[in-house]
Amino acid sequence: MRAIIMKELKLIRKDKRSFIFLLLMPAIFIVMFGTIANSGSGDSSSISLHVIDQEQSAASKAFVKQMGGIMDVKADAPDSLNDQIGKIKKGQLSAVLVIPQGFEAGMKQGKQTEIQLYQDPSAQMQLAPINAILNAISGQYRDQKLQSTLMAMGQTKEQAAAALASPIAVKPVATTSDHFNYLDLVVPGMTVMFVFFIMITMTRRFFDEKKTGLLSRIRSTNIKPMDYLIGMWIPFLLTIIAQCAVLFAFGHFLYHLKLGDLSALAFIVLGLAIAGSGMGLGLSFIVPGESAAMVITQIISTGGAFVGGLWTPSYMMPQIVQNIGHFTPQFWAQRSLTDIISHGAHIGDVLLPFAVLVLFGLAGITVAFFRLPGFLRSAAN
């Protein structure tokens, strides 16, 4: 068995195609999605709005300054309204805010002052936070106006503030880790997805041994079928563990990903390695050839990635997709890894996902065990 293990480890190390599928491609995907996440992350300053101040008064400038403290305000020339409206119609801008003449006079007279928000109706996702911010600023101006009115009626500033205070206060309570970001989903997601590409390498190795006649020679020796099976399985198990270690280290050092409890992380990586290599072992003995193995691996890897929540968080998908996802190893691996990285989970918190992953692996190993004698006889023929 030891000779078989060492042989397979040397062959895996020399296999450039395996390196591309197991390390290079997931690293590229992590960089792609990580770059997108970094460019899109941050605070509210990532929300931008073009503003045309046609009045240029002290009041209008103060209003623009107040917005600038909450989001990224891009000031445009007072006479550029037609150009900006043209950009909205072409889909080049989502919205433009216009502060018209008479803004300051209306404020001083206590009249309702109208500003125009020209917007693209099809860009509701970008417009929603902008409208929320503008409504919040409008509420602040309304409260200031009411406070001035109450003080003019003889109330003190404190009394006016108490009268305007809301009887309900909403206190935000964080229920996730302080460091959570999109990369907490990307790195484990891409790692889990490409783990299952090991099945292509495994099936190719078994069919190569059949073609070269090595299986026929093994069948004529005293090597027990189970020894051969375990000897072929362990190198791929170790390969997946090494793959996960490299990719998580890549995410940690390149994007400062916090890995959480390393013992829990290693525990789930072991379960994932058992699932991926075990399923690959079973697949190797039931497919008719390498082409079929590649197609089935693509279905398992990409299909499982979709329904298992590797690309989009599971809770954001339709309920039927969520239910299907529970029957995939990708779902359990991703959920447990996210719990460890983002929510501070420990080994005791991920025992169920580990057990499910091991069951997937044992199912594949069981299939391989019962199919191995027939596979060896076909090699002899």
Side-chain angles (χ1 to χ4, degrees):
M1 185 191 300
R2 184 175 179 273
I4 295 175
I5 293 174
M6 297 305 298
K7 170 183 70 71
E8 286 303 310
L9 287 174
K10 291 179 181 178
L11 290 173
I12 292 172
R13 181 174 57 85
K14 295 178 180 179
D15 191 346
K16 294 181 180 179
R17 288 178 293 182
S18 296
F19 169 77
I20 293 174
F21 275 113
L22 301 180
L23 286 179
L24 184 60
M25 286 184 64
I28 292 173
F29 273 69
I30 289 173
V31 171
M32 288 171 54
F33 285 97
T35 302
I36 294 172
N38 280 347
S39 64
S41 63
D43 53 19
S44 58
S45 62
S46 61
I47 303 172
S48 62
L49 176 64
H50 285 257
V51 176
I52 298 177
D53 183 1
Q54 294 180 334
E55 185 175 75
Q56 297 292 318
S57 64
S60 64
K61 290 179 180 178
F63 182 77
V64 173
K65 184 178 179 181
Q66 188 172 358
M67 287 191 299
I70 304 175
M71 57 181 163
D72 180 22
V73 173
K74 301 181 183 296
D76 295 317
D79 57 353
S80 63
L81 178 58
N82 291 334
D83 293 337
Q84 303 296 49
I85 291 176
K87 290 181 180 179
I88 292 176
K89 292 180 178 179
K90 295 176 182 178
Q92 298 173 352
L93 281 180
S94 59
V96 174
L97 182 70
V98 178
I99 304 175
Q101 296 287 345
F103 179 82
E104 185 174 55
M107 294 285 291
K108 289 180 178 179
Q109 295 173 13
K111 297 180 180 179
Q112 187 177 51
T113 304
E114 186 179 82
I115 58 177
Q116 294 90 34
L117 180 65
Y118 293 83
Q119 54 187 279
D120 180 359
S122 65
Q124 292 303 312
M125 289 187 65
Q126 295 92 332
L127 292 171
I130 293 174
N131 280 311
I133 292 172
L134 292 176
N135 288 333
I137 295 175
S138 175
Q140 293 175 10
Y141 273 84
R142 181 194 61 226
D143 291 345
Q144 292 172 6
K145 179 181 177 181
L146 289 173
Q147 186 178 40
S148 300
T149 302
L150 292 173
M151 291 176 65
M153 294 172 62
Q155 293 191 15
T156 64
K157 185 175 181 179
E158 290 74 16
Q159 289 174 329
L164 293 173
S166 173
I168 299 174
V170 178
K171 180 182 179 181
V173 179
T175 56
T176 185
S177 61
D178 294 335
H179 66 270
F180 178 81
N181 59 62
Y182 185 57
L183 282 169
D184 293 353
L185 299 176
V186 169
V187 176
M190 294 300 106
T191 301
V192 171
M193 175 179 169
F194 282 95
V195 155
F196 291 91
F197 278 91
I198 193 76
M199 294 189 290
I200 295 177
T201 304
M202 294 181 73
T203 53
R204 189 170 65 243
R205 285 292 308 121
F206 280 105
F207 279 100
D208 284 347
E209 296 218 332
K210 180 188 282 191
K211 292 175 184 177
T212 58
L214 184 59
L215 277 179
S216 300
R217 292 194 295 272
I218 289 175
R219 190 167 181 263
S220 64
T221 65
N222 293 326
I223 297 177
K224 297 179 180 179
M226 181 54 75
D227 290 342
Y228 171 74
L229 197 66
I230 295 175
M232 293 291 289
W233 171 55
I234 289 179
F236 293 102
L237 176 76
L238 297 177
T239 299
I240 293 178
I241 293 173
Q243 174 194 14
C244 293
V246 170
L247 293 176
F248 278 116
F250 182 76
H252 174 70
F253 290 109
L254 184 64
Y255 293 109
H256 307 290
L257 175 71
K258 296 182 180 179
L259 301 177
D261 185 347
L262 293 182
S263 60
L265 186 68
F267 189 61
I268 292 300
V269 165
L270 175 61
L272 180 60
I274 294 173
S277 59
M279 291 172 64
L281 204 62
L283 181 67
S284 299
F285 294 117
I286 61 175
V287 293
E290 293 183 42
S291 299
M294 184 168 292
V295 172
I296 295 174
T297 299
Q298 292 283 358
I299 294 173
I300 293 174
S301 299
T302 57
F306 171 69
V307 300
L310 306 188
W311 299 339
T312 304
S314 181
Y315 63 84
M316 295 179 63
M317 293 187 287
Q319 188 61 47
I320 186 172
V321 177
Q322 295 184 42
N323 294 337
I324 295 172
H326 282 73
F327 294 93
T328 65
Q330 289 93 333
F331 168 82
W332 295 98
Q334 177 74 347
R335 190 175 79 168
S336 56
L337 290 172
T338 303
D339 286 343
I340 294 167
I341 293 173
S342 303
H343 306 300
H346 301 287
I347 289 179
D349 303 313
V350 294
L351 290 176
L352 176 60
F354 176 81
V356 174
L357 291 172
V358 170
L359 284 176
F360 273 103
L362 291 178
I365 295 172
T366 302
V367 170
F369 175 75
F370 285 105
R371 290 284 300 173
L372 179 60
F375 189 80
L376 291 174
R377 286 194 297 270
S378 69
N381 298 328

